[in-house]
Amino acid sequence: MKKIFTNGQFYTFNPVRPTVQSVVVENGRFIDMGATKDMLIQWGNSDIEVINLEGNTVTPGLVDSHLHMSMIATKFIDLDLTGITTKHEALNHIQNQAKTLQPGEWLLGGGWDENLFTDGGIPLIHELDHVAPHNPLYLTRICEHAAIVNRKALEICNYHPTMTVPVGGKIVLDESTNKPTGLLLESASDLITQHIPEKSYETLKNAMRKAINFAMEKGLTSVHSNDPLYLGGLRQTYQIYDELLNQEHLGLRSNLLINHEFLDDLRDLGMYAGYGNETLQIGAVKLFADGAFGRRTALLSEPYNDDPGNYGKAMFDQHAIYDIIKRARELSMPIAVHTIGDQALENVLDIMDQFPTVTHRDRLIHVQVLREDLIERLAQPSRIADIQPRFLASDYPWVEERLGEKRMKLSYAWKTLQEAGVICAGGSDSPVEPVDPLMGIHAAVTRRSPGQTHNGWYPDQKLTMHEAFRLFTEMGAYPTNEEAIKGTIDTGKLADMTVYSKNPFKMEDADELLTTSIEMTIIGGDIKYQSN
């Protein structure tokens, strides 16, 4: 059946016809658009469904180019410490969670951020032992590049002072006692996670169902997600998504980034970039080149301003990165590399330049610290800068202490990237940041946190409302080579749309985005979410 969505303010992101009042959909695609009166005259009959949008604003469906749906899903299962502002409150939450568990049962969760704590730093191991005396505990930081554990967790992994720590990781020791503080950095967490029992298939699937519905409530019609490490491997990850999206028809279009550890599985399963359909596809091969600013593990070409002598950490040496990219290219796979620091980006580009491109574009994820020479190397049709504007709201002003004023001019420099011709797509890295795309758009436009009133951090890097929305709509199709079938409202393209309670493009104050609600999320012409 054909559908007409009428009486809307459609922003098509097609410069030939930037706005229309109505669109006509058939078989999940746009077949016509124009003035409401004209569309009703031409297409209105008893066999067509008419949906009146009552003047609400519509854009192409919102796309998140980089998040972790599986980690969002765990928030429906495990302890969520996101947004907690005191260590005391965090410890209370942990203690209350421990009371719900059987002795010996793992206490899992994450989301803590010591930069928010007003009463002290990261919880120490003796504090964690006190609030969870009978349960091994493993809680990841908001950035997922650090975790805290108690003694029971260390006992389970048979910790001893001379044990081998995975490359790129660190067990932080107390300087006075030389004993663990409870803080693990980067790959040191592998010592613990290998002992945590896997969740059942049905538990994971049910949590993923909730996460998918949650994403659509925020207006998302497509996501690019990295999940095999959290959903039991490549085969099971694809199966969960396939059952939820292709069999249950939940709706959310999903492109799956595959961790490099599963390259052999990709080959054995005959999967490749683009494998699947318009609802579920295999994407790029994901790897990490460095860490994050929070624990000073992002890899820089010059030392940290507040920690002279510390350049951060490379997750792999150059030989290992070369080998991973070589294996990916042998399967004609694009790569998606976490590169926050400028030295990490340079290291990866040096190796990428040694290989021919493939059909799908490569992604450089985050690219938060840049240099002019690196921007020039990013400005290629085969490369995507996968950026997360919301990081700015969480990282400023403390990140200035890490980097110093000199480097800040080319950090979080989205305007500069776009003006240099770099293809940029917008994401959240949720649950590191909120999944709500409007919060990322707000950060891109204002360059400040909600509640702040200044003119923005380095305001010359602000994006216009149109530029910011374009990151999360049209440009979200580029990393997956789908710009011909989605990203704009245009005849022949997939009928994915997001409907808003306010018109972002007529706002006098961008803070109105923070009180704008999603009225509908429409995927393939079907309303997958509608507000009450």
Side-chain angles (χ1 to χ4, degrees):
M1 175 184 283
K2 296 183 182 69
K3 299 177 182 179
I4 305 180
F5 292 86
T6 66
N7 295 324
Q9 300 181 72
F10 291 82
Y11 289 80
T12 67
F13 286 75
N14 177 356
V16 176
R17 184 162 46 178
T19 59
V20 295
Q21 293 177 321
S22 296
V23 298
V24 184
V25 175
E26 184 178 29
N27 296 325
R29 293 179 181 259
F30 299 111
I31 62 170
D32 203 355
M33 58 195 66
T36 294
K37 181 180 178 181
D38 295 340
M39 293 300 100
L40 288 174
I41 290 173
Q42 183 170 349
W43 297 99
N45 58 56
S46 58
D47 294 327
I48 197 160
E49 181 182 0
V50 179
I51 298 99
N52 189 340
L53 297 179
E54 300 179 348
N56 283 321
T57 297
V58 188
T59 69
L62 292 171
V63 181
D64 191 311
S65 65
H66 181 67
L67 47 54
H68 306 267
M69 290 297 293
S70 55
M71 291 162 59
I72 296 170
T74 61
K75 291 181 174 292
F76 294 101
I77 305 171
D78 298 331
L79 179 62
D80 183 10
L81 299 174
T82 305
I84 289 177
T85 57
T86 69
K87 180 167 71 169
H88 176 74
E89 183 183 359
L91 290 169
N92 280 341
H93 278 274
I94 295 169
Q95 187 171 45
N96 290 336
Q97 182 79 351
K99 292 176 181 177
T100 70
L101 303 174
Q102 296 295 319
E105 188 177 352
W106 279 87
L107 197 164
L108 305 172
W112 58 270
D113 182 355
E114 78 281 7
N115 290 308
L116 301 179
F117 294 163
T118 59
D119 60 347
I122 298 169
L124 298 173
I125 195 165
H126 70 272
E127 296 173 308
L128 299 172
D129 290 338
H130 177 73
V131 295
H134 307 298
N135 302 90
L137 175 149
Y138 176 78
L139 300 171
T140 55
R141 191 182 184 276
I142 186 72
C143 64
E144 293 289 326
H145 291 271
I148 49 177
V149 297
N150 61 1
R151 284 190 176 84
K152 281 199 170 293
L154 291 178
E155 289 169 3
I156 288 174
C157 77
N158 297 313
Y159 169 78
H160 56 85
T162 59
M163 74 186 306
T164 301
V165 178
V167 175
K170 180 180 181 180
I171 298 174
V172 178
L173 304 178
D174 185 286
E175 294 181 359
S176 60
T177 66
N178 209 36
K179 292 182 178 180
T181 64
L183 179 64
L184 307 180
L185 301 182
E186 303 296 349
S187 57
S189 294
D190 294 347
L191 297 169
I192 302 295
T193 56
Q194 63 182 305
H195 296 282
I196 298 174
E198 294 184 0
K199 293 178 171 67
S200 72
Y201 184 85
E202 285 304 317
T203 296
L204 292 172
K205 182 178 174 181
N206 289 335
M208 283 294 293
R209 184 183 292 108
K210 293 178 181 178
I212 288 170
N213 285 322
F214 180 67
M216 292 190 294
E217 289 175 12
K218 299 301 181 182
L220 287 168
T221 61
S222 294
V223 297
H224 307 167
S225 186
N226 180 212
D227 301 301
L229 289 175
Y230 292 88
L231 292 181
L234 172 56
R235 185 189 297 271
Q236 181 163 291
T237 296
Y238 194 87
Q239 182 178 344
I240 288 173
Y241 271 98
D242 184 54
E243 290 177 0
L244 293 173
L245 301 181
N246 288 325
Q247 297 178 36
E248 293 188 21
H249 303 290
L250 289 185
L252 185 68
R253 302 190 196 278
S254 300
N255 183 274
L256 308 184
L257 273 63
I258 309 303
N259 304 81
H260 72 90
E261 293 92 337
F262 301 100
L263 273 165
D264 289 343
D265 292 334
L266 275 172
R267 180 199 61 218
D268 295 344
L269 292 169
M271 293 180 172
Y272 49 86
Y275 175 95
N277 55 30
E278 292 164 350
T279 298
L280 175 63
Q281 286 188 8
I282 295 295
V285 173
K286 170 73 183 295
L287 66 147
F288 286 80
D290 66 344
F293 290 136
R295 304 309 307 167
R296 301 179 184 84
T297 54
L299 187 63
L300 303 174
S301 59
E302 298 180 9
Y304 278 85
N305 188 63
D306 58 352
D307 189 9
N310 179 12
Y311 290 79
K313 285 184 175 295
M315 293 297 102
F316 300 97
D317 62 30
Q318 290 296 84
H319 295 293
I321 293 178
Y322 181 94
D323 181 63
I324 292 169
I325 296 177
K326 179 175 183 291
R327 292 173 62 207
R329 287 300 199 249
E330 288 170 350
L331 298 176
S332 298
M333 290 292 293
I335 58 168
V337 192
H338 168 114
T339 54
I340 286 184
D342 63 322
Q343 189 61 57
L345 178 58
E346 180 179 353
N347 290 350
V348 171
L349 291 176
D350 285 347
I351 295 173
M352 287 175 62
D353 286 345
Q354 300 177 48
F355 292 92
T357 59
V358 291
T359 302
H360 286 72
R361 298 176 177 95
D362 294 312
R363 309 182 190 208
L364 289 307
I365 302 172
H366 307 316
V367 292
Q368 286 170 252
V369 180
L370 294 162
R371 305 191 310 259
E372 293 286 357
D373 61 306
L374 297 178
I375 293 173
E376 291 178 12
R377 297 174 71 182
L378 283 173
Q380 296 187 20
S382 62
R383 291 173 180 170
I384 301 283
D386 205 334
I387 61 175
Q388 293 69 41
R390 173 66 190 184
F391 278 1
L392 176 141
S394 296
D395 294 356
Y396 277 83
W398 59 261
V399 72
E400 291 186 304
E401 299 173 5
R402 301 280 196 276
L403 296 176
E405 184 177 353
K406 176 184 174 183
R407 283 181 286 204
M408 293 312 300
K409 293 180 181 179
L410 284 181
S411 298
Y412 307 76
W414 313 309
K415 191 80 166 183
T416 296
L417 283 171
Q418 292 191 359
E419 290 176 346
V422 178
I423 304 173
C424 299
S428 65
D429 203 16
S430 185
V432 176
E433 297 294 338
V435 72
D436 186 351
L438 293 182
M439 298 189 76
I441 291 168
H442 176 269
V445 173
T446 66
R447 291 187 68 87
R448 53 178 166 77
S449 300
Q452 294 178 338
T453 57
H454 56 77
N455 192 37
W457 305 103
Y458 296 85
D460 59 311
Q461 293 293 336
K462 287 181 180 179
L463 301 186
T464 66
M465 190 70 77
H466 186 272
E467 289 170 336
F469 264 89
R470 190 167 175 258
L471 278 178
F472 288 87
T473 53
E474 180 183 357
M475 302 315 298
Y478 278 76
T480 54
N481 284 22
E482 293 180 292
E483 60 267 29
I485 64 168
K486 69 181 182 182
T488 63
I489 296 175
D490 204 359
T491 303
K493 288 195 173 184
L494 296 170
D496 298 349
M497 298 171 277
T498 306
V499 184
Y500 310 87
S501 64
K502 299 180 183 180
N503 187 334
F505 307 101
K506 293 184 178 179
M507 291 177 177
E508 295 184 4
D509 185 348
D511 282 353
E512 289 185 61
L513 284 169
L514 303 174
T515 56
T516 299
S517 61
I518 302 300
E519 295 297 302
M520 289 183 188
T521 302
I522 302 163
I523 302 175
D526 294 329
I527 300 172
K528 293 298 184 179
Y529 167 76
Q530 185 168 7
S531 64
N532 296 326

